[in-house]
């Protein structure tokens, strides 16, 4: 209550600077603890570089110890973040009402002055990006045997099904990827980073919006046309599913040309009936071949070029657990990254109506700096008065560096 009073005592100047009433924004938030900036500074030892455990498009993440003794992952949004205070508080309100075994838990936040900080539970085993895909498990005690991967795939599917089908209004995550799947001490997967999540009214079939996501995981209709539906998340999950089974990133330019793009390789092997050859060699043959191939077929179903052909996440869960049969006749060619990497994307132009339909979604694309590590291929799109033409020409290397943790 003290923190809330402190927040409200500053609302006059704060509201004038940001164009809305802070009190109105937080008055409906009851389930989130509000931390003072002083508490956050103490928890992170003044944001010590030694406690920094990750950095992404929205800011830095620090490991901290709260005054009650709990370890926390503290996400400090950068001043340059495109996410405004109002959106930040909306995110808090949404997350505070959501609880699921396979979703990261929000402890609270800090919204003093211009500071916008999220406080999550700390997960001991980091992300799939650094461990399974980054080779981190080779230097740790984590054993990604087949049963562990089986549980991780189903856990992520259940978490996403919850967001898509049980939360009202439902949530499209928009950035499902390995670095946003965190693992607790028991290797239970937790979907993180709801900073990109949007609430979609149930009566809308899709929404065209600013594209935010990661090349390699982006559904073609979202990357090119800005068409955002739950089917875009399902595409991303399909890519992730194949990554977990194969133990490799979706894009790796260090491999021979014919093997650089995982989804393309998966389709080629599927057509040759050689899917089992894609299973991670680190398993040393100790896996259920039928299950592994079924998982990759589900991945192909999820990544089909036509969104309407992709199954719902609840159906995906049943396919993964064997409750629903996976039929080869239902699998069509996936939408491949190589199909749009060289595509020229034009911004809105006055002379043609079809392009003006997409005014808000793609006039220019900006890639962040290399400091974004695994997410160096994150794609954002902002409308601009001066339309530009951008060509995807270079491959996107998803190689992993150390110290990757994202919430």
């Amino acid at each position: 209550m003290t923190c809330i009073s402190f927040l409200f005592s500053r609302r006059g100047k704060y509201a004038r600077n940001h164009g809305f009433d802070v009190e109105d924004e937080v008055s409906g938030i009851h389930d989130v603890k509000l931390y003072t900036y002083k508490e956050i500074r103490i928890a992170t030892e003044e944001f010590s570089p030694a406690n920094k455990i990750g950095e992404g498009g929205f800011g830095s993440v620090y490991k901290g110890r709260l005054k009650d003794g709990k370890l926390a992952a503290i996400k400090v949004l950068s001043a340059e973040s495109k996410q405004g205070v109002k959106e930040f508080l909306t995110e808090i309100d949404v997350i505070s009402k959501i609880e699921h075994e396979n979703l990261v838990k929000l402890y609270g936040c800090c919204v003093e002055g211009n500071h916008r900080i999220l406080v999550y539970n700390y997960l001991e085993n980091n992300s799939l990006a650094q461990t399974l895909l980054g080779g981190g498990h080779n230097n740790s005690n984590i054993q990604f045997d087949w049963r562990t991967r089986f549980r991780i795939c189903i856990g992520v599917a259940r978490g996403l099904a919850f967001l898509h089908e049980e939360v009202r209004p439902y949530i499209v995550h928009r950035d499902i990827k390995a670095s946003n799947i965190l693992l607790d001490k028991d290797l239970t997967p937790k979907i993180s980073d709801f900073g990109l999540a949007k609430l979609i009214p149930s009566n809308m079939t899709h929404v065209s919006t600013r594209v935010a996501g990661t090349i390699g995981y982006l559904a073609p209709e979202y990357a090119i046309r800005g068409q955002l539906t739950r089917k875009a998340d399902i595409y991303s999950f399909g890519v992730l599913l194949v990554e977990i089974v194969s133990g490799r990133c979706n894009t790796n330019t260090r491999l021979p040309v014919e093997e650089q793009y995982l989804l393309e390789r998966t389709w080629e092997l599927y057509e040759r009936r050689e899917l089992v050859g894609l299973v991670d060699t680190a398993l040393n043959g100790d896996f259920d071949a039928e299950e592994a191939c079924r998982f990759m077929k589900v991945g192909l179903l999820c990544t089909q070029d036509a969104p309407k052909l992709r199954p719902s996440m609840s159906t995906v869960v049943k396919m993964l657990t064997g409750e629903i049969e996976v039929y080869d006749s239902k699998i069509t060619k996936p939408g491949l990254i190589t199909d749009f990497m060289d595509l020229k994307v034009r911004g809105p132009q006055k002379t043609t109506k079809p392009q003006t339909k997409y005014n808000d979604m793609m006039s220019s694309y900006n890639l962040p700096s290399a400091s974004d590590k695994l997410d160096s291929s994150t794609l954002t799109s902002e409308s601009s008065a001066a339309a530009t033409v951008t060509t995807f020409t270079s491959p996107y290397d998803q190689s992993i560096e150390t110290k990757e943790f994202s919430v």
Side-chain angles (χ1 to χ4, degrees), residues 127-142 144 400:
S127 71
L128 281 177
Q130 195 201 358
T131 52
L132 175 61
L133 304 184
H137 61 295
N138 294 328
N139 302 312
S140 71
N141 295 321
I142 300 177
F144 285 102
I400 309 296

Side-chain angles (χ1 to χ4, degrees), residues 56-322:
F58 282 99
S60 302
V61 184
Y62 294 84
K63 179 179 179 180
R65 186 174 294 278
L66 305 174
K67 62 181 181 181
D68 61 5
K70 286 183 180 178
L71 285 176
I74 297 171
K75 183 174 184 178
V76 182
L77 299 190
S78 62
E80 296 78 22
S81 173
K82 299 297 182 185
Q83 188 182 44
V85 176
K86 186 171 183 178
E87 289 77 12
F88 173 68
L89 291 173
T90 299
E91 176 186 347
I92 294 170
D93 194 30
V94 170
I95 300 173
S96 68
K97 294 176 173 61
I98 298 173
E99 284 197 37
H100 188 274
E101 179 186 9
N102 300 114
L103 299 177
V104 167
K105 176 64 179 173
L106 177 71
Y107 284 159
C109 66
C110 173
V111 286
E112 276 185 32
N114 290 323
H115 301 297
R116 302 192 295 280
I117 302 171
L118 291 174
V119 181
Y120 293 95
N121 63 316
Y122 178 77
L123 297 174
E124 298 85 342
N125 283 312
N126 219 295
S127 71
L128 281 177
Q130 195 201 358
T131 52
L132 175 61
L133 304 184
H137 61 295
N138 294 328
N139 302 312
S140 71
N141 295 321
I142 300 177
Q143 298 297 319
F144 285 102
D145 57 28
W146 177 247
R147 298 322 298 170
T148 297
R149 297 183 200 218
F150 180 93
R151 289 192 299 271
I152 290 173
C153 290
I154 292 176
V156 176
R158 285 176 173 157
L160 195 51
F162 180 78
L163 293 176
H164 281 190
E165 301 170 33
E166 296 185 47
V167 175
R168 289 292 182 271
Y170 66 79
I171 292 176
V172 178
H173 186 285
R174 298 208 296 174
D175 203 19
I176 293 295
K177 58 184 177 182
S179 60
N180 278 338
I181 307 301
L182 308 183
L183 304 171
D184 69 7
K185 58 182 174 56
D186 300 316
L187 299 183
T188 299
K190 311 279 185 179
I191 299 174
S192 72
D193 201 348
F194 290 90
L196 299 175
K198 293 289 182 183
L199 295 180
I200 310 299
S202 58
N203 63 341
M204 293 182 65
T205 57
H206 78 273
V207 58
S208 294
T209 183
R210 181 173 63 86
V211 173
T214 306
I215 287 291
Y217 292 98
L218 282 180
E221 76 278 1
Y222 182 34
I224 297 174
R225 300 191 300 276
Q227 189 180 41
L228 174 63
T229 69
R230 286 172 284 194
K231 298 295 187 177
D233 273 355
I234 293 168
Y235 180 98
S236 301
F237 173 78
V239 175
L240 177 67
L241 188 57
V242 179
E243 286 183 317
I244 294 172
V245 175
S246 65
R248 52 162 286 193
C249 298
N250 66 73
T251 308
N252 188 346
T253 56
R254 295 170 183 167
L255 294 174
V257 175
E258 66 275 10
E259 297 181 19
Q260 289 181 2
Y261 305 107
L262 181 59
L263 194 54
E264 185 174 284
R265 181 66 173 163
T266 304
W267 177 249
E268 290 172 355
L269 292 178
Y270 169 73
E271 287 191 303
R272 298 192 334 227
R273 300 180 182 274
E274 298 174 3
L275 269 181
V276 71
L278 199 61
V279 179
D280 195 349
T281 56
L283 291 169
N284 295 315
D286 187 13
F287 62 91
D288 186 316
E290 183 179 345
E291 279 185 345
C293 289
R294 183 172 78 240
F295 276 35
M296 286 187 283
K297 287 180 180 180
V298 173
L300 287 173
L301 282 170
C302 291
T303 55
Q304 293 178 103
D305 190 54
K308 66 181 181 180
L309 296 179
R310 300 170 201 158
S312 67
M313 284 309 303
S314 57
T315 298
V316 167
V317 171
K318 291 178 181 178
M319 287 179 171
L320 293 177
T321 57

